[in-house]
């Protein structure tokens, strides 16, 4: 069943994390914060909503990494129940699709909970408070705060809307210019994160 983003409050600081990269290293939030914008994406391998956008997602990531955006993808699904999302399969998927960003595994699901992630895909852009939409206020005293959360674009599986990445691209473009991102932000839609039994958020 498809679920929508929780739409975490704009102006909040990015929750800290340190997670294993399926290529063998580790990535921590502090490694990303020198970038002018940080894109944290909750994705996975098996979800049809992710599969629907993954080619454009790979293009978008490559485009914006060249412009200095720090990007990570995080898979928080229960890999025991969904073996297509196990770390070994994540390595294969990243290489097949052409992901150029670190693909991290949130085995304990603590990071997904901290970010308020609800679905795959779910997108969070952190940048200077200058890029908050005009009607948003800064919640946390931080150099990087949440300025965009929601959909990549309006396309969905079996829809007639082409995959373009336009909403996410517009937010990243504004953040890189140090300007307010668009205020009309639509929730992402996708498969629910597959929580381990008893680990579901309240």
């Amino acid at each position: 069943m498809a679920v929508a983003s929780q739409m975490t409050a704009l102006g909040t600081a990015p929750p800290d994390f340190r997670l294993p990269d399926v290529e063998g290293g580790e990535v921590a939030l502090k490694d990303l914060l020198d970038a002018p914008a940080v894109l944290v994406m909750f994705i996975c391998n098996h979800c049809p909503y992710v599969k629907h956008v993954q080619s454009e997602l790979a293009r978008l990531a490559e485009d914006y990494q060249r412009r200095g955006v720090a990007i990570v993808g995080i898979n928080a699904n229960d890999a025991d129940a969904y073996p297509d999302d196990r770390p070994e399969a994540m390595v294969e998927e990243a290489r097949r699709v052409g992901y150029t960003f670190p693909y991290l595994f949130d085995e304990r699901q603590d990071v997904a909970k901290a970010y308020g992630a609800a679905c795959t895909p779910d997108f969070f852009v952190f940048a200077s408070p200058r890029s908050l939409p005009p009607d948003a206020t800064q919640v946390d005293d931080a150099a990087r705060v949440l300025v965009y959360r929601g959909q990549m674009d309006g396309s969905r599986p079996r829809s007639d809307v082409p995959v373009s990445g336009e909403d996410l691209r517009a937010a990243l473009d504004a953040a890189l210019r140090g300007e307010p991102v668009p205020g009309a932000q639509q929730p992402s839609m996708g498969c629910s994160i597959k929580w381990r039994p008893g680990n579901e958020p309240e």
Side-chain angles (χ1 to χ4, degrees):
M1 182 178 69
V3 300
S5 301
Q6 295 297 301
M7 302 300 278
T8 301
L10 295 172
T12 58
D16 196 18
F17 65 81
R18 178 180 292 275
L19 290 173
D21 181 348
V22 293
E23 294 289 353
E26 277 190 338
V27 175
L29 175 68
K30 67 180 180 63
D31 301 328
L32 312 177
L33 293 178
D34 285 342
V38 178
L39 170 59
V40 178
M41 311 177 293
F42 289 86
I43 59 175
C44 67
N45 294 349
H46 85 276
C47 172
Y49 288 82
V50 176
K51 289 183 177 295
H52 179 65
V53 301
Q54 63 187 184
S55 294
E56 172 59 23
L57 183 58
R59 282 191 294 270
L60 182 150
E62 190 171 8
D63 289 347
Y64 285 92
Q65 283 176 309
R66 284 199 296 262
R67 297 174 61 187
V69 177
I71 301 175
V72 293
I74 299 175
N75 172 20
N77 278 354
D78 177 0
D80 292 332
Y82 294 84
D84 285 349
D85 288 328
R86 67 192 189 282
E88 313 91 88
M90 292 169 62
V91 175
E92 298 169 6
E93 186 78 349
R95 292 175 180 169
R96 183 186 69 80
V97 180
Y99 291 156
T100 54
F101 50 83
Y103 196 8
L104 313 179
F105 186 47
D106 181 18
E107 182 176 13
R108 295 175 56 185
Q109 303 181 318
D110 293 343
V111 179
K113 285 184 179 180
Y115 276 74
C119 59
T120 53
D122 215 350
F123 301 97
F124 300 82
V125 176
F126 298 90
S128 165
R130 294 192 308 273
S131 292
L132 282 167
D135 59 347
T137 58
Q138 185 170 355
V139 176
D140 294 321
D141 181 16
R144 296 288 178 267
V145 297
L146 185 65
V147 299
Y148 180 84
R149 73 286 192 251
Q151 67 182 14
M152 181 174 169
D153 58 36
S155 186
R156 303 288 186 267
R158 298 176 299 281
S159 75
D160 295 329
V161 179
V163 179
S164 65
E166 63 179 352
D167 293 55
L168 188 53
R169 286 178 180 271
L172 289 169
D173 287 341
L176 287 172
R177 293 192 300 265
E179 299 174 354
V181 304
Q185 301 182 9
Q186 301 301 316
S188 187
M189 181 75 67
C191 300
S192 62
I193 288 179
K194 308 308 181 189
W195 304 102
R196 295 197 313 276
N199 203 38
E200 300 87 350
E202 293 181 1

